Amino acid sequence: MRVFLIALYACGAPSTSAPPAAHPTPATTATTPATKPRVEARAPVDVIAVLREPLKESSWISPGPAQLVLGGSPVQAIDGAPHLEVEVLEEQGNDVRVGVRLDHARFALWMSRGRMLAIIARDHRVSMPGMHAFGADAMQVVLRAGAQVQRLATKDKDKQTRVRYVGAVEVEAWLPSDVLVDRWPSGHTNRGRVPSGRKTLMLRPGAVIRAEAKWGGAQLAVLNQGYFVDEIQRLDDAWSEVGYEDGDVFVHGFVSKRDPPGRTHRKKPPEHTTPLTPNVKAPEGTCLYINDEPIGFIVGARSLLVEPGARAGAFTLTIDTPWGPIGFDAKGAIETELAACGG
């Protein structure tokens, strides 16, 4: 009997050498803590220091709604304001902070990335239907390096971007996305029409330059702000072979005086605004503030509109800009002794 009980106990007792495996539960399962992505800290941009340096690399914008401080009250650009050369200071999501350099002032503001123009990084021959010939005599459109274009659409799969160039002629086409950049060495200007020595042909804006001398031929460009093209040869009473070239674009094709005008996107003349009446000559380098943050300064000693602020030593200094008159805060003992940045 004693042997039987010992054997029974041995069969029913848990083994101390090989315990049964426990089924893990979410509460007891060991997990490796997820590694959080490291956020790279960036030093705040010293706007004043950057704006004091010569401009080396620039971007171009089409002035539109903007903010002096992110989340602040918006300022709206003057209708018809021309494209403006700026430099990118900071980027945050879909917003960019740009440095604006006017003759009389420099300051920073925030705006949508969509207001930035793309820049042609290298001379590019545009590919369009009906353009099959190559060589110097080919019917073609070439966009020159440094020309500014508006992005209209993208095909990420094909790495293509549809753009519109608007100048003396207007060109709309799909380009490889790697032809486009956001920054370019500063100082690019379109030197204007390059005369060829040929007879000129005067056309009205809207005249369509085509790849073939027939109605319905592929559209290469539309005459926009210019009136003269080079007539290479007259084919008949209606059609002429023509060329046009300036610092941004080269076009070679056919035009007909009987062709209906094409659509253009001519910019409106800048809206006329009443100039400010200056009352104080502000010292050179007068600092411009928004909410006690220095965001710009006056270039040279300027006669400007200066008004007393809400407290002693505070003033409102208003200047003309492509966004209309903008009032900045200024500091100083009196109106004629306004403080410079860092002073």
Side-chain angles (χ1 to χ4, degrees), residues 204-271:
R204 292 184 178 182
V208 180
I209 301 176
R210 299 187 182 277
E212 300 173 271
K214 64 180 183 181
W215 189 88
Q219 177 178 301
L220 302 181
V222 180
L223 205 64
N224 185 29
Q225 298 171 350
Y227 294 90
F228 295 99
V229 296
D230 296 323
E231 187 174 46
I232 298 172
Q233 64 172 324
R234 178 167 294 186
L235 305 181
D236 52 37
D237 290 341
W239 289 93
S240 293
E241 181 183 355
V242 299
Y244 176 84
E245 182 177 9
D246 63 25
D248 285 345
V249 65
F250 169 78
V251 183
H252 180 201
F254 301 96
V255 69
S256 172
K257 292 183 178 179
R258 300 175 186 173
D259 209 358
R263 183 186 179 191
T264 63
H265 297 80
R266 305 183 73 185
K267 287 183 69 69
K268 297 179 181 179
E271 177 186 352

Side-chain angles (χ1 to χ4, degrees), residues 1 21 28 51 55 62 81 99 145 147 154 167 173 195 207 216-217 238 242 251 328 334 337:
M1 179 65 70
T28 60
L51 291 177
L55 181 60
S62 176
T154 58
V242 299
V251 183
F328 296 88
I334 58 176
E337 296 181 5

Side-chain angles (χ1 to χ4, degrees), residues 154-174:
T154 58
K155 293 179 181 177
D156 293 335
K157 181 179 179 181
D158 300 327
K159 297 181 180 180
Q160 295 277 312
T161 301
R162 188 164 185 82
V163 303
R164 178 186 298 136
Y165 168 79
V166 178
V169 298
E170 183 172 316
V171 177
E172 192 167 316
W174 287 96

